[in-house]
Amino acid sequence: MAIDSYLYGNTANDEMIMSAVSSIVPNEDLFSTLSGNEPFSSQYKLYVPMRVKGDMSHILIELAFHYIAKVIVAAYCNDTNCNPFENSIAERSIRNLQPKIEKSYFQEVYERYEYATMQLQNYIDGEDNSTNNIIQHCFFLAKLDICYRKAAIPSDLSQFFTPATPDEVIEIKEMALKFGKSFIPRVLRPESKIIFNPNFGFGECLIGETECDMIIDKTIIDLRTDIGTSYPRDRVTKSMVHFLLTEINRDFGNKENAFPIDNLVFYSARYGETEILSLEDIDQYDITKAVNKFTLATNAEHKFDQMIANDDIDRQDYNDGYNQVVRKKKKHTFRKVLILIIVLSLITIGFVYLKDYYVMNYGNDFAIESILHNLFGLDI
């Protein structure tokens, strides 16, 4: 995802962008846990150890868990408008694959995707309670997901249809069961408002495509499946970027994607631990400075002007933002003119004072007038 390129990049622009974000990345002592354990500590108990070896299996297990967690959340909530597959990486992968593989192969992969999402939707609607089947469907989505992330298509397309091994199923299943017991009843309410795979609108135009698991009741949710309890600074940084994007969307009038965010939550799937950060604990002045610095680093005002000029976005939809940018520019111009007037006034006063001082002490103002005339073309 694009955030990684900034996070691990070393250009001046990367450093400027991450400097804006880093200024509000909190220390771990601002977090709390639902369990009462000390955040990111050895007090955590490991419930789901890694049984499977191999980096690719670990990645697929993590991604499959992300999909099944979203399905569980959707099944629990009454919000029928939320779709855990819309704008997902798997869906983007399908769109990306279509022009790149033979039509018959694509049709086979597409039909498998349609079948998987249909079966998962049946589970959400309460029409299917077979956990193992749900896991296999999520495992297939994880394969599409990783294909998109790595920008690589398997040389053997049959790999898309290889099911999860029994050990992979066990790991995913145990994390899903722990999620249902540790996260769902403590964080969710049936009436909770859910946004799956949120699109950050104008904000994504500034830094490129990004990814966020979900937003639940004004809370950004990040799911983890790694082993270890140390403070995940990189993940926290990414979530703070998402928060800044919502703030920038609000500044530029992109109301649809200006999600109100009050908290960040990190869920450790193998430990069943939920860490919480209230954004109220971060100084609002520091947030405002970070937003302004991020806006400057991403050249947001110029990009916004270009998008308006090219009709890439509807000025009417972004009317507040457009007007705000215009007001900012007028304000900046006024400040520049005011500063120029003040500077010229001070220079004039200084010259007049020096002239009077010279005449008072030396009784000869002709010399200084000559100097001013020769240097600056001024006649006093």
Side-chain angles (χ1 to χ4, degrees), residues 3 8 39 135 137 161 231 255 313:
I3 293 179
Y8 306 115
I135 290 173
H137 294 315
F161 309 106
Y231 180 53
K255 295 177 181 177
I313 56 178

Side-chain angles (χ1 to χ4, degrees), residues 209-225:
E209 199 172 50
T210 185
E211 177 199 11
C212 174
D213 288 316
M214 51 189 144
I215 299 174
I216 299 176
D217 294 332
K218 302 182 181 181
T219 298
I220 289 176
I221 309 294
D222 183 83
L223 306 172
R224 307 169 54 195
T225 64

